[in-house]
Structure formats: C-alpha cells, structure tokens
Amino acid sequence: GRLREVIGKDFDEGGYFEVLEKAYAAGYQHVKLYFMTGLPTEEEADLDAIIGLINRTSEARKKISGHPAWVNVSINTLIPKPHTSFQWCGMGGLEEMREKQRYLKSRIKNKRVKFNFHNPEMSFMEAVFSRGDRRLGKVIRAAFAKGARFDGWENHFNFSLWQEAFREAQVDPEFYLRGKSSAELLPWDFLDSAVQREILLKDYNKIIA
C-alpha cells in the first residue's frame, strides 16, 4: 500500500477481494496481476507484500470451489523517465533487477502462479537511452555498424553487441542510471514537456520523503 501511494496507484484491497470472490463465484479461474519493482524507497518488505497479495488472490478462490485460482503475474522494473517526478531518481543495475526477480520467484510455492518478468537487459537499455545525452549517438552508431536492428523485439535483441558498442565508444552506461541532484542540469531540460519543473520537483520530494 505504501508504494502504491508513491506512484498514485493505491486501491481499496477490501473492495478488490470482494469483486474477486464474485468473479470466482461466476466461474472465473484465472487472474492476471501487474506489479512494478525498483520504486524509490522500496524495501524487502514491499516485495514480500507483492508475494502476499499474489497468494491471497489465488487462495481466495478456495472459498468458492475448494481450489486456488491460476494467477499470471507480470512484473516490470520502474524506468525513471525524463519529464516525470521520477527523473531525479536512480535505478538499480542489472544484478539488482535479477536479484529481485529471483527473490520473488523463490518465495512463491503455489504452482498455480506463473511469473512473467520483463527482460532486465532490455529494461537496462531502455533506462540508459531514455535518460541519456548526446554521447549516446556514438554508441548507437557503433551498435548499428555491428548489426543491431529491431532491438525493441526481444528475439532481435543482442545485449553483448551493445556492451561492445559502449566499450568502443568509451561510454559507461551505468552513468545514466545514477540518481540526480534537483539542482543538476539534466540533458533533456531544454525540451518543453508542458509540465512545469516545479510541479515535478514538488511531487519528487513527496516520493522520497
């Protein structure tokens, strides 16, 4: 609940389970849930809360039919995008993303729960290029020369090729994941997003409070 408030996605759990039980009573057997990890101020207890909600969602069907529901769980990593209140936030690297995925999977014993995680390497690249500056032009050129094409599609995505391109261009991709000072000049500040910086900063301060 705490982190749902941070991103403005809070909801009434009591109402959720009331509607869920009605759906189960009507014959529904499958539920799909969406979660996000990597939120500012996230702690292990927040990951445990995700696990708890997943289990309770599945187990709620036992009241109706005696069997738990099948639950498909989709989990993405937060990308702190420019022109949002998260633009000053840092983002965990690849190993942190993978560790959170391992943690969640290891603590779900219900065989009727199926996880679908977004590719950490693709999340990493999305973060780098959405938060990047003009130096990334050299990286893109190097990757293109090495054969990078249609990298938004996972079956075409070759992370090792991009790693080679970063090394060749002498650009450290981890630099773009770091947290930023609110006084820092950001690469995208010259663009007008029609959202005042002061409003974003006010919301950011609420997020990290």
Side-chain angles (χ1 to χ4, degrees):
R2 181 181 65 87
L3 288 185
R4 290 199 297 265
E5 291 180 10
V6 164
I7 62 173
K9 299 291 185 181
D10 202 15
F11 75 107
D12 176 10
E13 280 197 14
Y16 163 73
F17 281 103
E18 182 179 340
V19 171
L20 188 65
E21 289 181 12
K22 289 180 180 179
Y24 289 152
Y28 286 90
Q29 302 178 35
H30 294 77
V31 177
K32 188 164 188 178
L33 299 178
Y34 297 87
F35 296 98
M36 186 172 289
T37 60
L39 295 165
T41 74
E42 182 180 76
E43 301 172 353
E44 189 174 287
D46 298 306
L47 300 180
D48 291 336
I50 290 176
I51 295 165
L53 185 58
I54 293 170
N55 281 327
R56 289 163 58 203
T57 295
S58 180
E59 294 295 316
R61 187 169 176 265
K62 281 186 174 181
K63 298 179 183 179
I64 309 301
S65 68
H67 300 287
W70 295 91
V71 182
N72 292 323
V73 183
S74 180
I75 298 184
N76 289 348
T77 300
L78 172 72
I79 311 295
K81 294 287 184 68
H83 307 298
T84 72
S85 303
F86 297 96
Q87 65 181 358
W88 293 281
C89 297
M91 178 179 171
L94 282 170
E95 187 51 39
E96 183 176 325
M97 285 187 266
R98 291 171 181 148
E99 177 55 34
K100 288 179 180 180
Q101 291 182 1
R102 287 193 292 265
Y103 183 89
L104 291 168
K105 288 184 71 174
S106 69
R107 279 158 177 76
I108 289 287
K109 307 303 180 185
N110 187 341
K111 294 183 179 180
R112 295 192 175 211
V113 173
K114 180 181 179 181
F115 280 104
N116 177 29
F117 294 104
H118 190 263
N119 185 327
E121 294 171 348
M122 294 188 76
S123 293
F124 178 89
M125 292 296 295
E126 182 180 347
V128 169
F129 280 99
S130 67
R131 295 164 59 85
D133 53 30
R134 67 186 63 188
R135 293 184 302 157
L136 292 178
K138 295 185 296 182
V139 178
I140 295 173
R141 183 172 182 175
F144 181 83
K146 294 175 183 298
R149 302 290 191 278
F150 304 108
D151 287 69
W153 298 86
E154 191 165 356
N155 58 322
H156 290 280
F157 178 61
N158 184 339
F159 186 58
S160 62
L161 184 153
W162 283 97
Q163 289 177 305
E164 292 174 11
F166 279 114
R167 286 193 293 268
E168 185 175 302
Q170 297 184 327
V171 173
D172 178 10
E174 298 280 349
F175 171 81
Y176 299 103
L177 303 188
R178 66 182 177 85
K180 301 177 184 295
S181 163
S182 59
E184 185 175 343
L185 181 65
L186 303 176
W188 50 86
D189 276 343
F190 71 97
L191 297 171
D192 183 4
S193 68
V195 180
Q196 293 183 358
R197 186 178 186 277
E198 292 73 18
I199 294 176
L200 296 179
L201 187 56
K202 182 179 179 180
D203 288 342
Y204 167 70
N205 287 327
K206 290 180 181 178
I207 290 170
I208 63 174

